[in-house]
């Protein structure tokens, strides 16, 4: 039997992808299918235990091996592979996608900006799933506005840094062994005065304050009080923390779009299955014209999201400097549409779609945060509008006076 994955074979067949991606899509789909008992079991567990189990299982199965490029494993930095993996995992189980994505999110700055010693210390164990990572940039007063980060890192007499302040809304916060932390160093204002650090969980002065989000998962605020790290904890160059954060977010936004696509396809498949069996008005729900319109709108949303994610990932992989614009578009569209598709699926299932822990009820809770983290929809719209190509508008200006 074909794996029950999210992928649309007609999209996978497009020249955006090559055979290595098609092989990967098939392999991750089979793995997700084979692990159906794991997904069921994981939902019964406490979110911290579930998160740890999933990072370890992903590591053992080799799905995180690309996080250690020195080991020569497959597809380091391949955005299409990253997106396809997230799409399949999100389709199968939200917590599996969460475990995969946060591990990749926290290892990627080390891959891209770390010293040889930092890479050696962290990447092999992150790739095996032995060491769990988290990425901490947000603060209660600095969410959308990353340049407003206030957590201070002051130099001490031994050349190290002492961190004081807080971080907010950190995924994997309660289970991470190491945090990638963006802090304010020096007196430069806004984006200029930020530096990124690698802070092990065991560092004295670091306290984790657990939170419970809408969809259960490891999530926490962090408090830093006189938290000292050595000079070699700096990741990348001092004063370049904003660049590290933006480089990461630009690359990962399209992958959030891919996860949204996985959720949306699962919802659409569930809704279609129900509509084809549910009898209403003397026929099947699927045969009613109003239902057909909903199913058609879902299909168009899914197609557009899949194509936008594929384009963004392909642009990033071929090194187009405007890939970040496409990444923003893919995330905005895919997450907004996923919300609509999931809501429509709940509507088509009626009361049965709202029963706690049913597929659609879970998706309804799981999809919501995607429009908030790694760039809210509003902030993405501002960025997209700010990066518009105005050349055609320059030509069209003549029409205004004609
Ligand atoms: C599930 C989840 C996981 C997360 N994981 C992490 C993590 O691992 N690491 C991390 O660092 N952070 C994480 N975050 C935090 C996330 O990045 C922030 O929530 C996000 O950046 C938005 O910031 P905020 O919540 O402070 O909202 P705000 O920035 O206060 O925004 C509130 C509202 O105002 C709107 N808004 C903001 N600015 C403008 C503007 N200029 N014009 C118009 N509207 C505007 C926003 O769109 C939004 O609707 C996570 C959040 C969630 C929900």
């Amino acid at each position: 039997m074909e794996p029950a994955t999210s992928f649309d074979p007609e999209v996978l067949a497009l020249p955006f992808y090559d055979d290595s991606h098609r092989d990967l899509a098939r392999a991750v789909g089979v793995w997700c299918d084979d692990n159906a008992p794991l997904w069921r079991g994981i939902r019964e567990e406490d979110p911290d235990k579930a998160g740890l189990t999933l990072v370890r299982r992903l590591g053992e199965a080799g799905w995180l091996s690309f996080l250690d490029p020195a080991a020569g494993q497959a597809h380091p930095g391949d955005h299409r592979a990253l997106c396809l993996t997230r799409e399949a995992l999100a389709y199968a189980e939200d917590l599996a996608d969460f475990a995969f994505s946060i591990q990749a999110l926290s290892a990627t700055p080390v891959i891209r900006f770390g010293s040889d010693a930092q890479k050696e210390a962290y990447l092999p164990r992150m790739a095996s799933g032995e060491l769990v990572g988290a990425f901490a940039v947000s603060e209660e007063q600095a969410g959308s506005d990353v340049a407003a980060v206030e957590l201070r890192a002051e130099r001490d007499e031994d050349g190290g840094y002492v961190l004081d302040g807080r971080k907010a809304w950190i995924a994997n916060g309660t289970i991470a062994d190491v945090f990638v932390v963006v802090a304010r160093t020096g007196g430069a204002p806004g984006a200029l005065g930020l530096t990124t650090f690698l802070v092990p969980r065991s560092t004295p002065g670091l306290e984790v304050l657990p939170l419970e989000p809408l969809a259960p998962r490891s999530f926490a605020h962090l408090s830093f009080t006189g938290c000292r790290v050595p000079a070699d904890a700096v990741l990348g160059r001092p004063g370049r923390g904003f660049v590290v954060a933006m480089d990461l977010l630009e690359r990962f936004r399209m992958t959030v779009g891919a996860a949204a696509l996985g959720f949306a396809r699962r919802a659409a498949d569930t809704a279609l299955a129900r509509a084809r069996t549910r009898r209403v008005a003397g026929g099947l729900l699927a045969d009613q014209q109003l239902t057909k319109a909903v199913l058609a709108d879902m299909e168009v949303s899914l197609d557009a999201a899949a194509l936008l994610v594929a384009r963004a990932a392909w642009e990033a992989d071929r090194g187009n400097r405007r890939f970040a614009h496409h990444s923003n578009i893919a995330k905005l569209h895919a997450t907004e549409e996923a919300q609509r598709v999931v809501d429509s699926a709940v509507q088509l299932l009626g009361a049965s779609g709202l029963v706690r822990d049913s597929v659609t009820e879970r998706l309804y809770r799981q999809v919501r945060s995607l429009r908030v983290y790694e760039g809210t929809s509003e902030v993405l719209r501002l960025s997209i509008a700010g990066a518009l190509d105005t050349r055609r508008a320059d030509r069209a200006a003549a029409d205004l006076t004609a």
Side-chain angles (χ1 to χ4, degrees):
M1 202 165 96
E2 280 297 297
T5 61
S6 162
F7 303 115
D8 178 340
E10 288 181 329
V11 174
L12 266 184
L14 293 172
F16 284 130
Y17 297 105
D18 59 40
D19 283 342
S20 74
H21 299 114
R22 294 178 196 108
D23 292 346
L24 173 92
R26 181 162 181 86
V28 71
V30 169
W31 188 77
C32 287
D33 262 12
D34 289 349
N35 278 284
L38 173 64
W39 313 142
R40 279 192 293 277
I42 223 76
R43 290 183 209 121
E44 314 282 305
E45 284 185 5
D46 147 80
D48 284 3
K49 192 160 172 252
L52 285 171
T53 302
L54 286 166
V55 176
R56 312 272 192 258
R57 290 292 281 267
L58 287 162
E60 282 161 18
W63 295 114
L64 299 171
S65 59
F66 69 100
L67 298 179
D68 184 19
Q73 298 294 339
H75 68 78
D78 181 331
H79 299 80
R80 287 167 290 175
L82 205 51
C83 286
L84 291 170
T85 308
R86 284 202 69 177
E87 183 184 333
L89 292 173
Y91 185 95
E93 169 51 43
D94 156 63
L95 282 176
D97 168 62
F98 179 76
F100 174 83
S101 63
I102 305 304
Q103 192 75 346
L105 186 77
S106 48
T108 296
V110 184
I111 296 172
R112 292 185 55 74
F113 298 97
S115 64
D116 288 346
Q118 288 168 335
K119 288 178 184 170
E120 212 172 298
Y122 291 107
L123 295 180
R125 288 188 297 152
M126 291 182 85
S128 69
E130 180 195 336
L131 203 72
V132 177
F135 176 71
V137 62
S138 301
E139 298 175 6
E140 279 162 276
Q141 297 308 315
S144 298
D145 185 6
V146 172
V149 159
E150 286 178 358
L151 174 79
R152 293 230 41 109
E154 299 285 357
R155 270 334 263 263
D156 70 4
E157 62 278 8
D158 300 326
Y161 291 82
V162 179
L163 277 61
D164 280 288
R166 286 167 69 95
K167 287 290 169 191
W169 327 119
I170 307 307
N172 271 359
T174 52
I175 60 169
D177 300 296
V178 60
F179 294 92
V180 176
V181 177
V182 180
R184 187 159 296 283
T185 46
L192 297 175
L194 303 178
T195 300
T196 307
F197 296 88
L198 282 162
V199 184
R201 166 71 184 94
S202 55
T203 311
L206 168 55
E207 195 188 347
V208 172
L209 312 162
L211 295 166
E212 284 188 32
L214 183 61
R217 63 200 57 231
S218 167
F219 198 49
H221 289 339
L222 308 177
S223 167
F224 299 79
T225 311
C227 181
R228 187 186 181 281
V229 291
D232 64 8
V234 171
L235 180 61
R237 298 216 313 269
R240 302 275 288 169
F242 188 78
V243 175
V244 173
M246 287 305 122
D247 176 83
L248 183 65
L249 294 174
E250 285 167 359
R251 287 169 199 284
F252 272 72
R253 281 178 183 149
M254 67 184 84
T255 77
V256 181
L261 179 59
F263 290 141
R265 272 205 209 287
R266 181 76 184 264
D269 289 349
T270 307
L272 180 59
R274 171 71 173 178
R276 288 170 70 198
T277 51
R278 172 68 167 162
R279 299 201 71 79
V280 293
L284 290 175
L285 182 59
D287 293 334
Q288 310 300 317
Q289 280 194 324
L290 280 172
T291 310
K292 287 182 182 175
V294 173
L295 296 173
D297 286 348
M298 283 181 172
E299 181 70 0
V300 174
S301 292
L302 295 171
D303 252 21
L307 291 169
L308 288 173
V309 168
R311 178 183 68 167
W314 176 73
E315 293 285 19
D317 288 343
R318 77 188 185 103
N320 181 350
R321 290 207 346 256
R322 255 173 84 79
F323 86 84
H325 179 61
H326 300 302
S327 189
N328 288 343
I329 291 174
K331 181 188 187 264
L332 175 64
H333 183 85
T335 58
E336 289 285 331
E337 288 305 304
Q339 183 86 49
R340 263 190 279 279
V341 169
V342 169
D343 188 66
S344 298
V346 170
Q347 195 70 13
L348 279 179
L349 266 84
S352 68
L354 290 161
V355 172
R356 186 154 188 86
D357 277 336
S358 64
V359 172
T360 46
E361 186 270 348
R362 284 202 312 269
L363 289 167
Y364 197 75
R365 285 183 284 115
Q366 290 159 354
V367 78
R368 186 61 186 88
S369 62
L370 275 63
R371 290 163 58 214
V372 172
Y373 66 71
E374 295 182 33
T376 66
S377 292
E378 293 73 23
V379 167
L380 295 181
R381 285 189 176 95
L382 291 174
S383 300
I384 292 164
L388 290 179
D389 183 344
T390 53
R391 283 171 296 184
R392 282 196 313 274
D394 289 342
R395 283 197 301 275
D399 299 340
L400 300 176
T401 51

